[in-house]
Amino acid sequence: MHPADPTDPAGTPARRGPRPEGSGRRAWLRAGVAGLAVLAGLALPAVSSSPAWADPSPTAYVADNGSSDVSVIDTTTNTAEGTIPVGNGPTAVAITPNGRRTYVTNRDSNDVSVIDTTTNTVVATIPVGNAPEGVAITPNGRRVYVSNRASSSVSVIDTATNTVAGTIPVGPMPVGVAITPNGRRAYVANNGSDNVSVIDTATNSVVDTIPVGTAPGGIAITPNGRRAYVTNFTSNDVSVIDTFTNTVAGTTIPVGTHPFGIAITPNGRRVYVANDASNDVSVIDTTTNNVVATIPVGTRPLGVAITPNGRRAYVTDFTSNDVSVIDTTTNNVAGTIPVSTNPAGIAITPGKGKLHKPEKPKKPGHH
């Protein structure tokens, strides 16, 4: 058996509860990965713009599944600066390499919202397949790959036109998506068939299928492109794929209960895994592929993202409606940020966080 969708508390056998009004039960929620639902409370203040002379500091965008908006977090101050209305049931987030656009999958409205990160407004809404969940962007920023859980396919979005350029059939109930650093392959975790589809991005066709653990959900690829780490929700472990041979390398790594979200540090040395049912994060050393730390966080952690400098990991806590900030040096929680309702996916812009004053005008004759 496969678990209910992690973003659907009503469908999770051990965690039943009311779903938000207007989001009816769907047949595709029978099998899945962790949950997302319910509504928000107080609205956050409007997002303020940064001074013209400041390089953009890294900003975290959080898909608030229950309130159908995206929370914006300043990672310098670790405060939520506002919310952006998007489609229904936002689930996952991805940001273009230049940091100018954020793509958000809206599972319940079958579309993707495109946010302009300069103005923090939605500039396009793109219809895709049924129940879009995962999302990833190619390193050149030209294509967005969206996993459509209910239609067992991947939509390919052209970022120049923000239209769907193709649809790729994959395994049943695709969830997580990750793209290799060279942009040549997309790896898709198929929750319903316990395997990973490998897509050739040049032809947009499936070139390999890799058996993994039970009910794979999240997936992340090391910066050198040699390994893909896959969270297996029901078997409570992580599979490691050798991307050269497209086979599972070694034994699986036991982690917490119901692992889902996953992220790898920029130096490739650590993997952070959000364990939905045990309310903690497992830290894997990629040299030994052993768990070297377990960090208690909020209730039902789902998404994970790491800052560009690798010093902080941000974890969305679905039921406690906040984001835990982990200091990756000590692997302790350094703070908690309240956000909107049922935060799920999270992504961080590539900004370096430097702040500089405008250059003083040079005196005549000086160079």
Side-chain angles (χ1 to χ4, degrees), residues 268-290:
R269 295 176 183 174
R270 294 289 187 271
V271 180
Y272 285 73
V273 178
N275 302 307
D276 170 71
S278 52
N279 301 327
D280 53 29
V281 170
S282 298
V283 184
I284 298 170
D285 182 325
T286 58
T287 302
T288 62
N289 278 336
N290 291 324

Side-chain angles (χ1 to χ4, degrees), residues 17-213:
R19 296 198 63 197
E21 184 177 355
S23 56
R25 188 183 183 97
R26 298 167 185 260
W28 55 267
L29 289 175
R30 290 181 300 106
V33 194
L36 313 163
V38 199
L39 260 180
L42 299 176
L44 294 169
V47 179
S48 58
S49 59
S50 300
W53 50 267
D55 284 341
S57 61
T59 301
Y61 287 81
V62 179
D64 300 313
N65 182 261
S67 49
S68 296
D69 56 32
V70 169
S71 291
V72 182
I73 294 174
D74 183 331
T75 62
T76 300
T77 61
N78 279 334
T79 55
E81 296 193 327
T83 57
I84 307 166
V86 289
N88 297 328
T91 304
V93 187
I95 300 172
T96 54
N98 62 14
R100 296 177 182 173
R101 293 289 186 272
T102 296
Y103 286 75
V104 183
T105 56
N106 302 308
R107 191 191 60 192
D108 296 335
S109 53
N110 302 326
D111 53 31
V112 172
S113 296
V114 185
I115 296 171
D116 181 326
T117 59
T118 303
T119 61
N120 278 334
T121 57
V122 173
V123 294
T125 301
I126 309 165
V128 288
N130 295 329
E133 289 220 6
V135 59
I137 301 175
T138 54
N140 62 14
R142 295 177 182 174
R143 293 289 186 272
V144 179
Y145 286 72
V146 176
S147 61
N148 303 306
R149 182 190 183 95
S151 51
S152 299
S153 65
V154 170
S155 296
V156 184
I157 296 171
D158 183 329
T159 59
T161 61
N162 278 332
T163 57
V164 173
T167 303
I168 309 165
V170 290
M173 294 186 291
V175 183
V177 186
I179 298 174
T180 55
N182 62 14
R184 295 177 182 174
R185 294 288 187 271
Y187 286 73
V188 182
N190 300 311
N191 183 257
S193 54
D194 303 337
N195 56 30
V196 170
S197 295
V198 184
I199 296 172
D200 182 328
T201 58
T203 61
N204 278 335
S205 59
V206 173
V207 294
D208 217 335
T209 302
I210 310 165
V212 288

Side-chain angles (χ1 to χ4, degrees), residues 283-342:
V283 184
I284 298 170
D285 182 325
T286 58
T287 302
T288 62
N289 278 336
N290 291 324
V291 172
V292 294
T294 301
I295 310 164
V297 289
T299 310
R300 298 196 64 194
L302 278 187
V304 187
I306 297 172
T307 53
N309 62 15
R311 295 176 183 172
R312 296 287 188 273
Y314 287 72
V315 180
T316 58
D317 302 316
F318 183 78
T319 302
S320 51
N321 300 326
D322 52 32
V323 173
S324 296
V325 184
I326 296 172
D327 182 328
T328 58
T329 303
T330 63
N331 279 332
N332 292 320
V333 173
T336 305
I337 308 166
V339 290
S340 202
T341 308
N342 298 141

